[in-house]
Amino acid sequence: MPLEQVLMLLVAAAGAGWVDAVVGGGGLLQLPALMMAGVAPVEAMATNKFSSVFGTASAAVTYTRTTKVDRPVALPAAGLAVLSAALGASAAAAISAEVLRPVVMVVLLGVAAFVTLRPAMGAVPRPHLRTRARVVAAVLTAGVGVAFYDGIMGPGTGTFLIIAFTVLLGLDFVSASASAKIINTGTNVGALLLFAWQGHVLWALGLGMAACNIAGAQFGARMAIRRGTGFVRVVLLCVVAAMVTRLAWQQFG
């Protein structure tokens, strides 16, 4: 691979790490960059997961040091997410992306409208919403539903996790993002284990991208913690708009 393409991938990995650390959606940068460099789609997905798991895990560590993380939800959900994401990745070939994309676009547009029309959502914690039933629902939604989706397709995983924790548990956006990173690490590990077993990971390229992804993730996590929920909200809406645009282009372009 030419040096300029490698450098482009390293820059894309750093940018993806930043986006993933704030709200998720770094695949918007890494996956197209890998495919533009001539990497086959399945190898691009596998190498993207390999790079992302390091950045997401490093962001999770940074968040847990300074931000309240909902461990009773995040830890069991992360354990379930490893298995669910692996099952999703194994089922990806049997489920048409052409069918999934319109559904995901509609859901993302709903998320954008919901966040826009409810400006107070995620601004401050609402602990009164937390009940035993909602905790169970959050674990299953994140660790089974969203994780399985991440293994099959992926775009919007971090966003869906943040919205789930905000709506179900009343977390503010920063705490929700912090908890989401732990589960997103689990989804990445689950999908990566399957891709690695199938021999699709480009290890040497992935290691270089992982180092840049970690650097971007550290910068993004620290910025989100420092600038607070308003910043996370704005980035979330921008990423949702970018994801809907990309999915629409893939579907209809």
Side-chain angles (χ1 to χ4, degrees):
M1 186 178 291
L3 178 60
E4 59 269 21
Q5 286 187 337
V6 174
L7 292 176
M8 176 195 72
L9 290 174
L10 295 180
V11 171
W18 186 91
V19 174
D20 270 337
V22 180
V23 293
L28 284 170
L29 297 174
Q30 276 195 146
L31 274 174
L34 283 161
M35 291 181 185
M36 285 174 59
V39 179
V42 67
E43 292 179 340
M45 290 176 65
T47 306
N48 173 62
K49 289 296 182 187
F50 179 68
S51 170
S52 297
V53 73
F54 288 96
T56 306
S58 73
V61 171
T62 298
Y63 274 116
T64 56
R65 289 174 176 168
T66 57
T67 305
K68 180 177 175 56
V69 175
D70 199 325
R71 288 179 173 83
V73 172
L75 295 180
L80 287 172
V82 175
L83 177 60
S84 298
L87 291 174
S90 67
I95 299 176
S96 172
E98 301 296 320
V99 174
L100 279 178
R101 282 195 201 107
V103 175
V104 176
M105 281 190 286
V106 170
V107 173
L108 285 171
L109 287 171
V111 166
F114 189 68
V115 173
T116 302
L117 295 174
R118 299 188 63 180
M121 189 189 75
V124 295
R126 295 178 294 165
H128 64 278
L129 293 180
R130 188 186 185 92
T131 63
R132 185 183 298 273
R134 283 174 173 262
V135 168
V136 172
V139 170
L140 294 177
T141 299
V144 179
V146 178
F148 187 80
Y149 164 75
D150 191 28
I152 290 179
M153 195 169 176
T157 296
T159 301
F160 295 147
L161 289 171
I162 291 172
I163 294 300
F165 290 147
T166 304
V167 172
L168 290 173
L169 302 176
L171 300 184
D172 64 81
F173 278 139
V174 174
S175 295
S177 183
S179 300
K181 296 301 161 288
I182 296 175
I183 295 145
N184 216 169
T185 300
T187 66
N188 286 336
V189 168
L192 175 61
L193 288 174
L194 182 70
F195 284 133
W197 179 67
Q198 294 174 337
H200 294 307
V201 181
L202 303 179
W203 298 105
L205 177 62
L207 282 171
M209 294 180 68
C212 293
N213 200 277
I214 290 171
Q218 287 298 304
F219 183 51
R222 286 175 167 80
M223 184 176 289
I225 293 167
R226 184 174 66 253
R227 301 190 66 172
T229 58
F231 172 72
V232 174
R233 174 191 171 85
V234 170
V235 176
L236 185 146
L237 289 171
C238 290
V239 170
V240 167
M243 283 190 288
V244 171
T245 301
R246 182 186 171 215
L247 290 170
W249 181 80
Q250 288 177 324
Q251 187 76 10
F252 308 114

